[in-house]
Amino acid sequence: MIDSIAGGNLVSLATLSQRAIVEVLDTAESFVEVNSRAVKKVPALKGKVIASLFFEESTRTRLSFETAAKRLSADVLSLAVASSSVKKGESLRDTINTIDALGIDAVVMRHSSSGAPVQVSRYVPHVRVINAGDGQHQHPTQGLLDAFTVRQVLAARAGTSGRESGSELFAGLNVLIVGDIRHSRVARSDIEVYTRLGAHVTVAAPGTLLPPDIAQWPVTVATDFDEALATADVVGLLRLQKERGSGAFVPSLGEFTSTFGLTSRRAELLRPETIIMHPGPMNRGVEIDSQVADSSAAVIEQQVRNGVPVRMAVLYLTTAGTTLESGSND
Amino acid sequence: MTNPTLVIRGGLIVGPLESFLGDVLIADGRIVEVGPSVTAPSGALEIDAAGCWVGPGFVDLHTHLREPGKESAETIETGAFAAALGGYSAVVAMPNTEPALDSVAMVGYVLERGKLAAVDVAVAGAITIGRQGEQMAPIAKFAALGVRLFTDDGNGVQDAGLMRRALTYAQPLRVTLAQHCEDESLAQGGSMHEGASSSKLGLIGRPAIAEELMVMRDIELVRLTGCSMHFLHLSTERSIALVLEARAQGLPVTCEVAPHHFTLDETACETFDPEFKVHPPLRTAADVAALRAALRAGVIDAVATDHAPHTPESKDMAFDEAPPGMLGLEQAAGLTLEALGGAEADPQVFFSVLSRGPARVAQMREQDVRVGHSAHGGAVSVGEDANLVVFDPKAPYVVDRDKLASRARNTPYHGRTIHGRARATIVRGRLVQLEGNLQ
């Protein structure tokens, strides 16, 4: 376990200790204030070059990262590589070496293949690598911003600050994650971050959308979805890829909605204080009804808003301390 | 030009039933004398075999030579060099070239090119045209050229009806069909073993059941047709148990295991390094232990490398985009020795799985009807073709991917210390390799 991401990479939450996670959350909290200023900018990463390298299309995550980098005064090289490296006929190593040759301090990357950021971190060990989502593996900043949002809501209710509370608000918290756990990088990152902070995680999904070895995961599998909803403190929904509903994994999207969708009818089972979350983009009417998504229990927009300070924290911690090697140093 | 007379001095000569210390004299491509101390003619080249095992040259049932089509990864010439360094005197070239070895012309091409190689090159013909699993390849014509093994390796024949017909067609020809057992309806899209590691890594798995189900199916097809069948690179405990059970029932089935499957497990993939991607995939630690136990028990017919060269650029892709396969020829014998217990291993079992067993499966022994290649997997006795290896079971060395004879670099063993290395390889009486140097 790593106790701090300072000066390091962020490719997975699986190797971060509770201390490392809390450090990110606390740092993010100090950046929240920057985002409410008239001049939303601090010079923390002035002179640093951050490449934003998206092999897989994404508008939200990309905008969030680039906004975060700019608010830290970093220069952003934005490179859309929205086709797979195979289709381009160039190896992953060649692609990253080319970008590295431009002179970069960090790369924020998304890739449709699990593990691509891990490989890149081996190809360019002097560059900090921040995973913005890789295949079905990890989406670390989503996990961190989800935990940050939960802590923010709970701290406000308790009349304290997140930083004051550390990880204690997560002790014994019941987090229910619903939907396509098997193919979800968000689920993998969320499960890591919540369990590390002391929460109890339950998952609910059709059998085909659970990983085959779910019994070995540090989670409880809900046998009765409705019952699990009634005892949940946090309900995290996942986007159901539409192609999963074409009969291969579930017979139809309609059947998924009727069995595992958070319909407005089913939302009546929730306690009033239960927090409803979704990483976006939502399939309204599939995993979540519009009325539920727009209700006061849903913190979906707050999650998006928190994406910026959390990503500022990650960029700052990983990249601020690094310097381009220069021969003039003693 | 005739080759110089060779004399191998003072090694442990490993026959099929017993071993003894002595010398082997080789002239005109044959073993001419074996004894405690032979007298060599003047000018004979002496090979010091003190502390070494002397036995029949290794035979690899499963070599991807990549020629024709992927000469940037390997050629028949460079693959044969790798084989010679590994102690092999013969390899069976797999048919998944581009184009596939599915025509008389392509099979003939590889056999002809193979005659110029450092080791004997036999060919496995495709079972179906283009290895597409739809239409049978000219199996009888290939058999007339000397082909004894047939496979669509890389793919298993998915269609049970077609596989049944191929077995029925092949049975009277006295050839063996070899299967890459993975049911694609279960394995498709997967890039590593389905289990705890794949689940954590978010990589789609190729489950054990994909292999085992096809092993079960094919055993029943062998029972039905009576055709002999060889199971390629079995990787799970259950697969081995199924084949052993079928053999105990008298069915004509044989099997091989690959060094990577009894050396590495699924956790190697947790680095996302595509060097560890292979089909069938690296399995669980329990499977590795079961394969090693089966090897030590002497119930496995052959260790086969599945030597699969790939260019660096193709392996510098994301894990799920990179091609499966890894090099094996140069390290296989050392890893086999390690699995059998190191220098304390039973040399009879060692030569059984690396030479005599595979030579039997490939019908390359003296008593087999052979076309175009010498006899392999012999007893190290007078009159035999001199295909021999002098193997040092104690020699330690560190694997360096930049010092391989293979054109490719995709070894999963880079940096690993392996004990046991071929000191000399002799093919048809010619010294092709001595102490790691090609001759």
Side-chain angles (χ1 to χ4, degrees), chain B residues 68-324:
Chain B
K70 270 275 159 51
E71 289 85 351
S72 53
E74 193 81 287
T75 64
I76 293 168
E77 182 185 29
T78 58
F81 285 152
L85 287 174
Y88 289 87
S89 55
V91 298
V92 179
M94 286 287 117
N96 63 336
T97 49
E98 295 169 16
L101 305 186
D102 61 359
S103 67
V104 167
M106 294 322 302
V107 169
Y109 170 81
V110 175
L111 289 173
E112 282 307 307
R113 296 273 298 152
K115 284 178 185 162
L116 307 171
V119 303
D120 271 353
V121 177
V123 162
I127 296 174
T128 69
I129 298 294
R131 302 167 43 252
Q132 296 295 303
E134 287 162 9
Q135 187 189 345
M136 266 195 281
I139 294 173
K141 282 184 181 172
F142 291 175
L145 293 173
V147 175
R148 297 291 177 264
L149 274 178
F150 293 82
T151 180
D152 279 359
D153 182 56
N155 301 331
V157 176
Q158 301 296 312
D159 186 312
L162 178 63
M163 193 61 201
R164 178 194 175 181
R165 282 196 297 279
L167 286 161
T168 304
Y169 188 79
Q171 192 272 334
L173 303 172
R174 299 180 183 236
V175 296
T176 300
L177 298 197
Q179 188 78 288
H180 173 138
C181 288
E182 276 189 296
D183 182 324
E184 282 302 318
S185 73
L186 288 158
Q188 204 166 34
S191 52
M192 68 173 291
H193 174 67
E194 179 183 297
S197 289
S198 69
S199 175
K200 179 164 73 179
L201 302 179
L203 286 168
I204 300 173
R206 304 177 74 83
I209 189 73
E211 175 177 318
E212 293 154 359
L213 211 56
M214 194 173 279
V215 172
M216 286 181 207
R217 182 198 78 175
D218 284 357
I219 285 170
E220 293 312 311
L221 291 176
V222 167
R223 199 188 305 280
L224 186 71
T225 61
C227 187
S228 69
M229 176 126 183
H230 179 66
F231 290 92
L232 300 167
H233 45 43
L234 293 183
S235 65
T236 79
E237 180 173 14
R238 180 97 180 100
S239 291
I240 301 285
L242 286 164
V243 171
L244 295 184
E245 187 189 317
R247 193 162 70 191
Q249 292 166 359
L251 296 181
V253 292
T254 54
C255 70
E256 67 184 36
V257 294
H260 48 268
H261 287 136
F262 59 71
T263 303
L264 304 167
D265 67 36
E266 57 178 338
T267 59
C269 300
E270 293 188 8
T271 57
F272 288 105
D273 186 341
E275 303 294 24
F276 298 104
K277 180 176 174 179
V278 65
H279 295 172
L282 302 177
R283 301 292 187 186
T284 66
D287 289 313
V288 171
L291 264 58
R292 290 171 94 89
L295 265 179
R296 281 195 295 274
V299 296
I300 302 291
D301 298 282
V303 167
T305 65
D306 196 4
H307 179 83
H310 289 291
T311 59
E313 61 271 22
S314 66
K315 281 288 191 181
D316 280 341
M317 293 290 185
F319 196 94
D320 59 355
E321 293 172 339

Side-chain angles (χ1 to χ4, degrees), chain A residues 93 113-114 119 122 188 213, chain B residues 199 202 271 316-317 320-321:
Chain A
R93 187 193 292 267
S113 294
S114 300
Q119 292 174 268
R122 271 200 298 273
R188 283 176 176 75
D213 72 325
Chain B
S199 175
T271 57
D316 280 341
M317 293 290 185
D320 59 355
E321 293 172 339

